[in-house]
Amino acid sequence: MNNYLKLIHCRYQMLLWLIFIIFISCDNNNNDGDAGPDNNHDLTLVANSSSQWTGIAVSQTSRAFANYPNWKEGHTLSVIELTDTANRRPYPNEAWNTWTGEQDPSEHFICVQSVFVDQQNYLWILDAANPQRKGEYLGVVPGGAKLVKIDLNTNTVVKTIVFHEPAIEKNSYLNDIRIDEARQIGYITDSNEGALVVVNLQSGEARRCLAQDPTTKSENRILTVEGIKVRNEKGEYINFHSDGIEINPDKSYIYWRPINGESLYRLSTALLNDPNVTDSTLSANVQHMGDFPPSDGMIFGKNGRLYLTSIEENAVRVYDEGESATSIVTQGEDLKWPDSFAVGPDGTIYVTTSQIHIKNPTQPYRIFKFQP
């Protein structure tokens, strides 16, 4: 009898363990939008900086460029070329990187937010021209918001497109850009007012799209990064509208997201490029691709997968079209507010850290790279 009871007890314990294992397995596999690590790719340090940078661009010959936004007193450099992990030079020269408020605003960088190298190996520099001081934007310097195109073979400016109303507003902050080289169209987000700006790169004509649409607006999600509810220097919760933007490999769709939100959207470029299509028609054709952890920048890798920074998790996530979840690719304490991406000619992915959630960082701002 005692042996029989012992046998029953043993089988009961085994059954409990089996139920526990099944429960854990189901929990890990059904965590919508929060799947486990994809591969835990190792991060390699590319560069450190004592000044805050946001954007990164890598050329077809592996030259690397970064930008410093004009967000604090004492700002000097706006765009640099990284010559190695510790050294850099003003790009394209010191004159473009000098702004005192007295020069022609179209010929000097004022507040650069992003840099991007297209497939034809031109560097595009997006100058929001809206400096920030103590958590408050000062307003766009008239004639200063611009897109600058540089020929990397000669290191010279070959085109400057200046933005005016109604394409931008007085407190717009042009945040990120992607280029369709074949159609010569640029796509830009406005993260202060919430809109997409479509610019003809040949004529310089620009249109403001979806400016009243909820898809370009913040979802008012309070961000918590490393245990910190993120506020600006005025003590207000930060609130960014349409920010990250990306174009898919065949240039058929534009993707974008607000920082303070979880939604990922996309829209046909054929519709967006047509100036005769109304905003109401554009709005009706925006596709909601899913809800995922908040991100800043995003980029398609050469493998066709969409990578998104995950600012609340010190991580990078990846999204595959048609899936209902993203998965973590790489994660670590050093990824303090992963901000913007670039893809190198060999497919290596570069990512900046901007530490936006920390008022006085004790660690340097960093650029990492990893193999997807």
Side-chain angles (χ1 to χ4, degrees), residues 296-316:
D296 195 324
M298 55 184 171
I299 201 162
F300 273 99
K302 288 185 178 292
N303 56 12
R305 308 179 80 190
L306 181 61
Y307 293 84
L308 306 101
T309 67
S310 187
I311 53 184
E312 292 188 321
E313 301 176 299
N314 299 73
V316 173

Side-chain angles (χ1 to χ4, degrees), residues 61-73:
T61 57
S62 296
R63 294 170 66 185
F65 305 87
N67 70 271
Y68 303 99
N70 187 354
W71 289 350
K72 294 181 180 179
E73 294 288 349

Side-chain angles (χ1 to χ4, degrees), residues 36-50:
D38 180 73
N39 201 3
N40 278 331
H41 301 264
D42 291 332
L43 291 170
T44 300
L45 181 66
V46 175
N48 287 321
S49 174
S50 59

Side-chain angles (χ1 to χ4, degrees), residues 152-286:
L152 292 179
N153 293 316
T154 61
N155 298 313
T156 57
V157 174
V158 294
K159 192 177 190 67
T160 300
I161 298 172
V162 178
F163 299 103
H164 302 281
E165 294 185 67
I168 62 169
E169 298 181 354
K170 293 180 179 179
N171 200 37
S172 286
Y173 195 85
L174 300 180
N175 195 291
D176 209 349
I177 181 167
R178 291 296 182 264
I179 302 293
D180 182 337
E181 297 85 359
R183 297 181 179 88
Q184 282 295 287
I185 299 290
Y187 306 93
I188 299 170
T189 50
D190 181 346
S191 59
N192 257 12
E193 300 295 340
L196 302 183
V197 177
V198 180
V199 53
N200 184 311
L201 300 176
Q202 293 179 324
S203 68
E205 295 180 4
R207 296 180 292 113
R208 189 173 183 82
C209 302
L210 297 172
Q212 306 303 319
D213 197 79
T215 64
T216 63
K217 306 302 180 184
S218 165
E219 296 171 2
N220 298 314
R221 189 186 193 283
I222 295 175
L223 302 175
T224 302
V225 182
E226 297 187 313
I228 301 169
K229 291 189 181 299
V230 187
R231 303 173 186 265
N232 61 24
E233 292 186 41
K234 297 170 64 178
E236 304 166 335
Y237 290 121
I238 65 167
N239 200 32
F240 297 115
H241 300 289
S242 48
D243 191 285
I245 192 169
E246 178 59 319
I247 188 169
N248 68 337
D250 69 5
K251 314 297 186 185
S252 59
Y253 285 98
I254 278 290
Y255 291 72
W256 72 91
R257 299 189 76 185
I259 284 187
N260 292 81
E262 299 181 349
S263 298
L264 173 66
Y265 301 104
R266 77 173 188 179
L267 178 62
S268 161
T269 53
L271 286 173
L272 191 56
N273 294 344
D274 188 343
N276 297 314
V277 175
T278 65
D279 261 16
S280 59
T281 299
L282 293 179
S283 179
N285 283 276
V286 172

